[in-house]
Amino acid sequence: MFSSPQKVIRAVLVSQVLMGAAIVGIDMMRNPGTAAPGLFAPSTDGPSVRPYRPDLRPSDPAKPGAPAMRPMPDQLEFTEADDLITITGQIAPGDGDRFVAWLEQSRPQATQVALDSSGGSVSDALAIGRSIRSLGFSTTIQDGAVCLSACPYVLAGGDPRRVQKGGVVGVHQHYFGKNTILPAFMAVADVQRAQASVMEYLDQMGVDLRLMPLALRTPPDEINILTPDQLRELNVITTAENS
Protein backbone atom coordinates (compact mmCIF):
# COMPACT_ATOMS: atom_id res chain seq x y z
CA MET A 1 0.00 0.00 0.00
CA PHE A 2 2.96 2.32 0.49
CA SER A 3 6.24 2.52 -1.35
CA SER A 4 8.72 1.99 1.51
CA PRO A 5 7.39 0.04 4.52
CA GLN A 6 10.86 -0.15 6.06
CA LYS A 7 11.05 3.64 6.26
CA VAL A 8 7.57 3.86 7.78
CA ILE A 9 8.32 1.23 10.43
CA ARG A 10 11.68 2.84 11.25
CA ALA A 11 10.04 6.25 11.67
CA VAL A 12 7.32 4.79 13.89
CA LEU A 13 9.82 2.99 16.13
CA VAL A 14 12.00 6.08 16.52
CA SER A 15 8.95 8.13 17.44
CA GLN A 16 7.90 5.51 20.01
CA VAL A 17 11.30 5.65 21.72
CA LEU A 18 11.04 9.43 21.96
CA MET A 19 7.53 9.13 23.34
CA GLY A 20 8.64 6.57 25.92
CA ALA A 21 11.33 8.88 27.29
CA ALA A 22 8.69 11.49 28.17
CA ILE A 23 5.58 9.39 28.70
CA VAL A 24 5.45 9.71 32.51
CA GLY A 25 5.03 13.49 32.23
CA ILE A 26 2.91 13.70 29.10
CA ASP A 27 -0.65 12.75 30.28
CA MET A 28 -2.39 14.82 27.63
CA MET A 29 -0.55 18.09 28.17
CA ARG A 30 -2.50 21.14 27.07
CA ASN A 31 -1.91 24.88 26.86
CA PRO A 32 -5.07 26.43 28.37
CA GLY A 33 -4.16 29.93 27.24
CA THR A 34 -4.19 29.12 23.54
CA ALA A 35 -7.39 29.28 21.49
CA ALA A 36 -6.03 27.73 18.30
CA PRO A 37 -6.38 30.85 16.13
CA GLY A 38 -6.30 30.35 12.39
CA LEU A 39 -7.29 26.67 12.54
CA PHE A 40 -9.38 27.01 9.39
CA ALA A 41 -6.78 29.03 7.46
CA PRO A 42 -5.35 27.22 4.42
CA SER A 43 -2.04 25.57 5.28
CA THR A 44 -0.26 27.64 2.64
CA ASP A 45 -1.10 30.75 4.73
CA GLY A 46 0.49 29.46 7.92
CA PRO A 47 2.22 26.59 9.68
CA SER A 48 0.67 23.15 9.38
CA VAL A 49 1.30 22.48 13.11
CA ARG A 50 -0.95 24.63 15.29
CA PRO A 51 -2.12 24.80 18.93
CA TYR A 52 -4.63 22.12 19.98
CA ARG A 53 -7.61 22.68 22.28
CA PRO A 54 -9.89 19.62 22.43
CA ASP A 55 -12.50 21.45 24.51
CA LEU A 56 -13.01 24.28 22.00
CA ARG A 57 -13.75 24.59 18.31
CA PRO A 58 -13.87 27.65 16.02
CA SER A 59 -17.28 29.19 15.45
CA ASP A 60 -18.96 28.98 12.08
CA PRO A 61 -17.26 31.65 9.93
CA ALA A 62 -20.59 32.17 8.15
CA LYS A 63 -22.09 33.63 11.35
CA PRO A 64 -20.76 37.20 11.83
CA GLY A 65 -20.53 38.40 15.41
CA ALA A 66 -20.31 34.92 16.92
CA PRO A 67 -17.58 34.32 19.53
CA ALA A 68 -14.29 33.16 18.04
CA MET A 69 -14.49 29.81 19.82
CA ARG A 70 -17.36 27.67 21.09
CA PRO A 71 -17.38 24.64 23.39
CA MET A 72 -16.82 21.13 22.06
CA PRO A 73 -19.04 18.60 23.92
CA ASP A 74 -17.05 16.47 26.37
CA GLN A 75 -18.42 13.23 24.89
CA LEU A 76 -19.81 12.30 21.50
CA GLU A 77 -23.37 13.25 20.59
CA PHE A 78 -25.21 11.20 17.96
CA THR A 79 -28.12 12.58 15.92
CA GLU A 80 -29.89 11.82 12.65
CA ALA A 81 -31.58 14.39 10.44
CA ASP A 82 -32.02 14.99 6.71
CA ASP A 83 -30.63 11.55 5.80
CA LEU A 84 -27.41 12.28 7.71
CA ILE A 85 -25.98 10.85 10.92
CA THR A 86 -23.99 13.53 12.78
CA ILE A 87 -21.33 12.71 15.36
CA THR A 88 -20.14 15.71 17.37
CA GLY A 89 -17.85 16.20 20.37
CA GLN A 90 -14.78 14.82 22.07
CA ILE A 91 -14.35 11.03 21.98
CA ALA A 92 -14.73 9.94 25.60
CA PRO A 93 -13.96 6.48 27.02
CA GLY A 94 -17.01 4.31 26.43
CA ASP A 95 -18.21 6.21 23.36
CA GLY A 96 -17.63 3.14 21.19
CA ASP A 97 -20.22 1.21 23.22
CA ARG A 98 -22.51 4.25 23.37
CA PHE A 99 -22.48 4.47 19.57
CA VAL A 100 -23.49 0.82 19.22
CA ALA A 101 -26.28 1.34 21.77
CA TRP A 102 -27.49 4.44 19.90
CA LEU A 103 -27.53 2.51 16.62
CA GLU A 104 -29.56 -0.29 18.18
CA GLN A 105 -32.05 2.13 19.73
CA SER A 106 -32.39 4.65 16.91
CA ARG A 107 -32.02 2.30 13.93
CA PRO A 108 -31.03 5.18 11.62
CA GLN A 109 -32.00 5.08 7.98
CA ALA A 110 -29.16 7.36 6.88
CA THR A 111 -25.94 5.80 5.62
CA GLN A 112 -23.68 8.89 5.62
CA VAL A 113 -21.90 10.01 8.80
CA ALA A 114 -20.79 13.64 9.25
CA LEU A 115 -18.04 14.14 11.83
CA ASP A 116 -17.19 17.23 13.89
CA SER A 117 -14.84 16.04 16.62
CA SER A 118 -11.64 17.17 18.32
CA GLY A 119 -10.73 13.55 19.06
CA GLY A 120 -9.95 11.79 22.32
CA SER A 121 -9.92 8.08 23.15
CA VAL A 122 -8.07 6.17 20.41
CA SER A 123 -9.54 2.77 21.31
CA ASP A 124 -13.09 4.14 21.13
CA ALA A 125 -12.33 5.86 17.81
CA LEU A 126 -11.17 2.52 16.37
CA ALA A 127 -14.30 0.80 17.68
CA ILE A 128 -16.58 3.43 16.11
CA GLY A 129 -14.67 3.24 12.84
CA ARG A 130 -15.07 -0.52 12.73
CA SER A 131 -18.82 -0.19 13.40
CA ILE A 132 -19.13 2.33 10.56
CA ARG A 133 -17.26 0.03 8.16
CA SER A 134 -19.30 -3.05 9.14
CA LEU A 135 -22.52 -1.14 8.38
CA GLY A 136 -21.28 0.18 5.04
CA PHE A 137 -21.61 3.85 6.01
CA SER A 138 -19.73 6.67 4.29
CA THR A 139 -18.02 9.44 6.26
CA THR A 140 -17.62 13.14 5.58
CA ILE A 141 -16.13 16.27 7.16
CA GLN A 142 -18.35 19.18 6.23
CA ASP A 143 -17.39 22.78 5.60
CA GLY A 144 -16.52 24.36 8.96
CA ALA A 145 -16.19 21.03 10.81
CA VAL A 146 -13.04 19.56 12.34
CA CYS A 147 -11.73 16.00 12.63
CA LEU A 148 -8.67 16.04 14.88
CA SER A 149 -6.51 13.73 16.99
CA ALA A 150 -8.26 10.31 17.08
CA CYS A 151 -11.18 11.44 14.90
CA PRO A 152 -9.41 10.61 11.60
CA TYR A 153 -9.61 6.94 12.65
CA VAL A 154 -13.40 7.28 12.71
CA LEU A 155 -13.21 9.00 9.32
CA ALA A 156 -11.16 6.06 8.02
CA GLY A 157 -14.03 3.68 8.75
CA GLY A 158 -16.16 5.23 6.01
CA ASP A 159 -16.41 3.89 2.48
CA PRO A 160 -16.33 6.22 0.66
CA ARG A 161 -14.90 9.08 2.74
CA ARG A 162 -14.62 12.76 1.85
CA VAL A 163 -13.58 16.12 3.27
CA GLN A 164 -15.43 19.14 1.95
CA LYS A 165 -13.66 22.41 1.27
CA GLY A 166 -13.42 24.21 4.61
CA GLY A 167 -13.26 20.98 6.61
CA VAL A 168 -10.14 20.43 8.74
CA VAL A 169 -8.38 17.12 9.45
CA GLY A 170 -5.41 16.96 11.82
CA VAL A 171 -3.28 14.38 13.63
CA HIS A 172 -0.84 14.23 16.54
CA GLN A 173 0.68 11.79 19.04
CA HIS A 174 -1.71 9.21 20.41
CA TYR A 175 -3.15 9.19 23.90
CA PHE A 176 -4.33 5.72 24.96
CA GLY A 177 -5.53 6.26 28.52
CA LYS A 178 -4.82 7.70 31.93
CA ASN A 179 -1.17 8.10 32.77
CA THR A 180 0.17 5.74 35.43
CA ILE A 181 3.62 5.69 36.91
CA LEU A 182 5.24 2.72 35.18
CA PRO A 183 8.81 1.67 34.54
CA ALA A 184 9.92 3.09 31.23
CA PHE A 185 10.25 -0.31 29.56
CA MET A 186 6.65 -1.20 30.52
CA ALA A 187 5.32 2.14 29.29
CA VAL A 188 7.09 1.78 25.95
CA ALA A 189 5.83 -1.79 25.56
CA ASP A 190 2.23 -0.65 26.13
CA VAL A 191 2.61 2.17 23.62
CA GLN A 192 4.09 -0.17 21.03
CA ARG A 193 1.21 -2.63 21.37
CA ALA A 194 -1.29 0.20 21.03
CA GLN A 195 0.53 1.67 18.02
CA ALA A 196 0.50 -1.77 16.38
CA SER A 197 -3.29 -1.94 16.76
CA VAL A 198 -3.64 1.48 15.10
CA MET A 199 -1.36 0.49 12.21
CA GLU A 200 -3.28 -2.75 11.69
CA TYR A 201 -6.56 -0.81 11.68
CA LEU A 202 -5.34 1.79 9.16
CA ASP A 203 -4.08 -0.94 6.85
CA GLN A 204 -7.44 -2.72 7.02
CA MET A 205 -9.26 0.52 6.23
CA GLY A 206 -7.02 1.25 3.23
CA VAL A 207 -5.17 4.25 4.68
CA ASP A 208 -1.49 4.68 3.84
CA LEU A 209 0.65 4.01 6.91
CA ARG A 210 2.81 7.03 6.09
CA LEU A 211 0.15 8.89 8.07
CA MET A 212 1.70 7.54 11.29
CA PRO A 213 4.99 9.51 11.29
CA LEU A 214 3.05 12.74 10.68
CA ALA A 215 1.07 12.03 13.85
CA LEU A 216 3.93 10.76 16.01
CA ARG A 217 6.16 13.77 15.31
CA THR A 218 3.50 16.21 16.62
CA PRO A 219 3.21 16.77 20.41
CA PRO A 220 -0.19 16.13 22.02
CA ASP A 221 -0.76 19.84 22.72
CA GLU A 222 -0.40 20.67 19.02
CA ILE A 223 -2.15 19.42 15.88
CA ASN A 224 -0.73 18.77 12.41
CA ILE A 225 -3.29 19.95 9.84
CA LEU A 226 -3.24 17.75 6.72
CA THR A 227 -3.33 19.46 3.35
CA PRO A 228 -5.75 18.39 0.60
CA ASP A 229 -2.80 16.80 -1.25
CA GLN A 230 -1.83 14.80 1.84
CA LEU A 231 -5.41 13.66 2.36
CA ARG A 232 -5.49 12.30 -1.18
CA GLU A 233 -1.96 10.86 -1.28
CA LEU A 234 -2.40 9.02 2.01
CA ASN A 235 -5.87 7.79 1.01
CA VAL A 236 -7.44 9.43 4.04
CA ILE A 237 -10.13 10.50 1.58
CA THR A 238 -11.37 8.39 -1.31
CA THR A 239 -13.66 10.97 -2.95
CA ALA A 240 -12.68 14.44 -4.15
CA GLU A 241 -13.55 17.39 -1.92
CA ASN A 242 -16.65 19.46 -2.63
CA SER A 243 -18.49 16.35 -3.80
Side-chain angles (χ1 to χ4, degrees), residues 111-115 132 137-141 154-163:
T111 59
Q112 181 176 205
V113 177
L115 302 170
I132 287 173
F137 291 167
S138 64
T139 49
T140 184
I141 311 301
V154 181
L155 174 65
D159 184 20
R161 45 187 180 263
R162 60 174 60 84
V163 176

Side-chain angles (χ1 to χ4, degrees), residues 34-52:
T34 304
L39 185 63
F40 285 92
S43 59
T44 54
D45 292 347
S48 59
V49 176
R50 304 170 192 184
Y52 172 66

Side-chain angles (χ1 to χ4, degrees), residues 35-43 47-48 50-53 56-58 69 145-148 166-170 223-225:
L39 185 63
F40 285 92
S43 59
S48 59
R50 304 170 192 184
Y52 172 66
R53 281 291 302 269
L56 295 175
R57 55 180 168 170
M69 305 294 288
V146 300
C147 186
L148 309 175
V168 174
V169 178
I223 199 76
N224 189 343
I225 304 302

Side-chain angles (χ1 to χ4, degrees), residues 83-175:
D83 296 322
L84 184 70
I85 297 168
T86 301
I87 299 179
T88 305
Q90 301 176 61
I91 306 173
D95 274 346
D97 291 337
R98 291 182 58 246
F99 181 56
V100 172
W102 179 81
L103 290 170
E104 292 176 347
Q105 180 179 4
S106 300
R107 299 189 179 278
Q109 299 301 305
T111 59
Q112 181 176 205
V113 177
L115 302 170
D116 188 8
S117 171
S118 58
S121 168
V122 173
S123 58
D124 285 271
L126 300 183
I128 295 170
R130 291 189 189 281
S131 295
I132 287 173
R133 179 59 62 92
S134 69
L135 292 168
F137 291 167
S138 64
T139 49
T140 184
I141 311 301
Q142 297 179 313
D143 182 11
V146 300
C147 186
L148 309 175
S149 182
C151 176
Y153 304 137
V154 181
L155 174 65
D159 184 20
R161 45 187 180 263
R162 60 174 60 84
V163 176
Q164 296 180 5
K165 184 177 180 181
V168 174
V169 178
V171 296
H172 64 181
Q173 291 173 1
H174 300 141
Y175 174 71

